[in-house]
């Protein structure tokens, strides 16, 4: 989760914004699983979807170790992590 938070906090929008972008977390549990949504009011992370960041790659690897997965989102400045 920390890698995903950093990925969004250091977005393109952060470089030009007068204050750091606001990052929000929402958690929801249902049927023995936990979903966490991370959203940022800044722009998408520095790397494009064709070249994902090393933080996202690390987060995906670590999530897999925990039996979780990072789900694709429509908004470019957001991530959803689902723990089983």
């Amino acid at each position: 989760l920390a890698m995903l938070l950093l990925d969004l906090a250091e977005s393109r929008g952060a470089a030009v914004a007068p204050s750091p972008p606001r990052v929000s977390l929402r958690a929801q549990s249902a049927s023995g699983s936990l979903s966490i949504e991370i959203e940022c009011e800044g722009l998408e992370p520095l790397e494009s979807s064709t070249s994902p960041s090393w933080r996202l790659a690390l987060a995906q690897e670590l999530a897999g170790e925990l039996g979780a997965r990072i789900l694709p989102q429509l908004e470019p400045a957001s991530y959803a992590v689902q723990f089983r």
Side-chain angles (χ1 to χ4, degrees):
L1 290 175
M3 290 294 104
L4 298 175
L5 288 168
L6 284 171
D7 205 39
L8 291 176
E10 294 183 356
S11 67
R12 288 185 199 140
V16 295
S19 61
R22 186 174 144 190
V23 178
S24 63
L25 296 170
R26 282 191 306 272
Q28 180 179 7
S29 64
S31 304
S33 69
L34 173 67
S35 296
I36 299 174
E37 293 180 22
I38 306 167
E39 293 180 347
C40 180
E41 10 176 87
L43 299 175
E44 63 187 88
L46 290 172
E47 287 82 5
S48 68
S49 59
T50 58
S51 171
S53 75
W54 66 270
R55 290 183 181 107
L56 176 57
L58 177 60
Q60 289 173 326
E61 184 177 327
L62 294 173
E65 294 288 325
L66 296 172
R69 58 189 177 138
I70 299 172
L71 305 172
Q73 298 297 296
L74 296 176
E75 296 292 323
S78 66
Y79 293 114
V81 183
Q82 184 176 42
F83 296 89
R84 291 180 228 134

